[in-house]
Amino acid sequence: MASSSSTKKNTMRLQSSAPLLLLHLLMARFSSSADLLQNPDFESLPTNLPPENSTAEFIPLNQTTTTLPGWTFEGTVLYVNAGKTVSLQRNGSHAVQLGPDGRINQTFTTEGSSGSASIYLLTITVTYSAVGGGRNCTASAAAVVSAPDSRTEVYQRDGYDGKPWQSFGVYLGNWEEGEVVDLVIESMSSDPDPDTICWPIVDSVLLKSARSLASDNGNLLPNQDFELGPEFLTNSTEGILLDQAQSPLQSPLTQWSILGTIKYIDSDHFFVPAGNAAIEIIAGNSTGIQTAVPLSQGSSYTLKFTLGDANDSCVGDLSITAQAGSVLKNYTVQSNGTGSGQSFSMTFEAGSGTTPTPISFLSLTALQTKAGAFCGPVIDDVVLRASMGVRVAMNWSFLLFLALFAASAV
């Protein structure tokens, strides 16, 4: 278990991003749509493939004579057919490999209603070791995902799920309706050998948009049940890895900062205490999430949440530190790895000043499943409530903020 001093140190690291959380994102419900890209799984065959190579596992694409439906490409790009060397059974029969200077891109037009911005999140599934010939490809190659507002490196992690294919969630940006966005996925390698076989293979790319709408359901936390995150692939069984994001406004777990690596899990393949999604804190001690909310000074609040295991053979004590304002408490559940959850609550008083109050959950656990994959505590169904008097005051404050915000925008 981490010492109290190290826990406080990492808590302060999370607190540094708290002021970035805008007040108008405090209370939200969401509408979303997914599958916004053409040929996101590369199952539509390229045109003009040489007949003698059409059944090969790796087919070089010629930029002059070949087109890849929905995508443009540059550099060394190979079309991948499932075979003995690489298995694509989970996500179909085809993929693309990005070799030296390999790059694919697709331009899309943002959707939504006039004057309303949408958040865009990407799920990307990649592998390296499927063609690595036993080599360690984790440190030498990456797929870089970029858009006008973001740039994210995606590289394979040993021990995070025990399988060659891994899915990652990426924040792309926040745009209003009708904007033209160029999504770029390209290779990057630190290996000086240009003939290395550790180049990324991209199996599927799923784009999701979501709009936030003001709503007051009595819960003061944004995205409190983690339902707004990257889109799950229908035939994916290992969840989605979410990497560190210091800003809650530029995070794949919308409106929550991420420290370290966590796993976004769905109710179809894991134990999820409430709704369709939850998070599993898998990267060991001091990994976690945080958000922040403006609260009424000196008023009393109660933070409730569910702590459990994901039904992924994670056996042992699952411990976390929960922080609400200046109050930090440790909580533990004993897991037999078959899926269970227990509700906890803590009461605290909002501090002084105008800085938003941090709400965070940090893991104190470093465990592995029977298959050797990292695992840890599941957090879900987080609720922050106050007395009726405070809640009314918050609503009037929120309405006043909206009025001032609208006036300043005119």
Side-chain angles (χ1 to χ4, degrees):
M1 180 175 294
S3 66
S4 59
S5 60
S6 64
T7 298
K8 292 181 179 178
K9 179 180 179 181
N10 285 284
T11 301
M12 291 302 293
R13 290 175 62 191
L14 282 168
Q15 279 183 259
S16 65
S17 65
L20 295 175
L21 187 63
L22 299 180
L23 179 60
H24 69 286
L25 290 176
L26 171 61
M27 294 171 290
R29 60 184 173 87
F30 303 97
S31 62
S32 64
S33 58
D35 201 11
L36 303 178
L37 297 176
Q38 302 177 53
N39 194 20
D41 52 8
F42 310 105
E43 291 300 305
S44 295
L45 298 178
T47 62
N48 299 322
L49 288 178
E52 64 274 13
N53 291 334
S54 60
T55 60
E57 287 186 90
F58 296 91
I59 307 171
L61 298 183
N62 187 311
Q63 189 176 351
T64 303
T65 61
T66 307
T67 61
L68 183 62
W71 301 86
T72 59
F73 62 91
E74 299 177 11
T76 303
V77 178
L78 295 89
Y79 194 61
V80 181
N81 290 312
K84 295 180 179 179
T85 304
V86 56
S87 172
L88 304 173
Q89 294 178 359
R90 183 168 63 81
N91 290 315
S93 302
H94 304 97
V96 294
Q97 185 179 36
L98 306 177
D101 301 318
R103 164 182 170 143
I104 59 173
N105 66 286
Q106 184 168 151
T107 300
F108 64 92
T109 302
T110 57
E111 56 179 25
S113 57
S114 178
S116 177
S118 295
I119 300 164
Y120 284 80
L121 305 173
L122 193 77
T123 305
I124 179 170
T125 303
V126 297
T127 189
Y128 303 87
S129 61
V131 293
R135 293 180 56 182
N136 179 13
C137 296
T138 58
S140 63
V144 180
V145 179
S146 60
D149 294 344
S150 63
R151 183 182 186 277
T152 303
E153 296 179 12
V154 175
Y155 57 94
Q156 190 172 11
R157 317 297 172 79
D158 282 342
Y160 276 81
D161 55 27
K163 298 180 180 180
W165 289 95
Q166 294 176 334
S167 297
F168 297 85
V170 176
Y171 168 86
L172 277 190
N174 190 356
W175 300 291
E176 294 186 356
E177 178 192 19
E179 295 191 50
V180 178
V181 178
D182 189 29
L183 166 66
V184 179
I185 305 172
E186 56 192 323
S187 64
M188 183 183 74
S189 177
S190 60
D191 194 327
D193 180 5
D195 296 324
T196 179
I197 55 178
C198 288
W199 294 103
I201 298 177
V202 181
D203 187 20
S204 59
V205 184
L206 189 59
L207 181 63
K208 173 182 182 178
S209 71
R211 292 185 296 114
S212 61
L213 305 172
S215 174
D216 181 7
N217 60 2
N219 190 345
L220 302 178
L221 285 174
N223 197 17
Q224 72 281 354
D225 50 8
F226 312 123
E227 295 298 302
L228 182 54
E231 190 73 6
F232 292 105
L233 300 172
T234 55
N235 50 1
S236 173
T237 61
E238 52 275 349
I240 303 173
L241 298 179
L242 308 182
D243 282 333
Q244 180 159 311
Q246 288 293 338
S247 169
L249 301 180
Q250 297 178 334
S251 167
L253 186 67
T254 302
Q255 300 183 32
W256 290 86
S257 299
I258 301 172
L259 180 63
T261 300
I262 65 175
K263 182 181 288 188
Y264 192 51
I265 60 175
D266 66 306
S267 58
D268 288 341
H269 303 100
F270 298 89
F271 172 75
V272 170
N276 298 317
I279 64 161
E280 182 181 12
I281 308 177
I282 59 174
N285 292 349
S286 302
T287 302
I289 60 171
Q290 181 192 21
T291 190
V293 291
L295 300 177
S296 297
Q297 178 180 344
S299 297
S300 180
Y301 296 84
T302 298
L303 177 69
K304 297 181 179 180
F305 60 92
T306 299
L307 173 64
D309 74 275
N311 188 25
D312 57 3
S313 302
C314 195
V315 178
D317 289 344
L318 302 177
S319 300
I320 64 163
T321 292
Q323 178 193 12
S326 60
V327 177
L328 289 85
K329 292 186 177 180
N330 293 345
Y331 297 91
T332 299
V333 295
Q334 291 183 332
S335 168
N336 60 9
T338 58
S340 62
Q342 184 176 345
S343 296
F344 295 95
S345 66
M346 57 189 293
T347 300
F348 67 100
E349 187 175 286
S352 60
T354 59
T355 301
T357 299
I359 306 294
S360 66
F361 300 92
L362 294 177
S363 177
L364 301 174
T365 298
L367 294 176
Q368 290 181 293
T369 67
K370 294 178 180 179
F374 297 142
C375 63
V378 168
I379 303 291
D380 196 14
D381 198 23
V382 184
V383 178
L384 177 63
R385 299 191 187 279
S387 67
M388 180 60 68
V390 173
R391 199 178 307 145
V392 171
M394 284 292 297
N395 288 340
W396 278 109
S397 174
F398 183 64
L399 291 174
L400 177 61
F401 171 81
L402 289 179
L404 294 173
F405 183 78
S408 66
V410 175

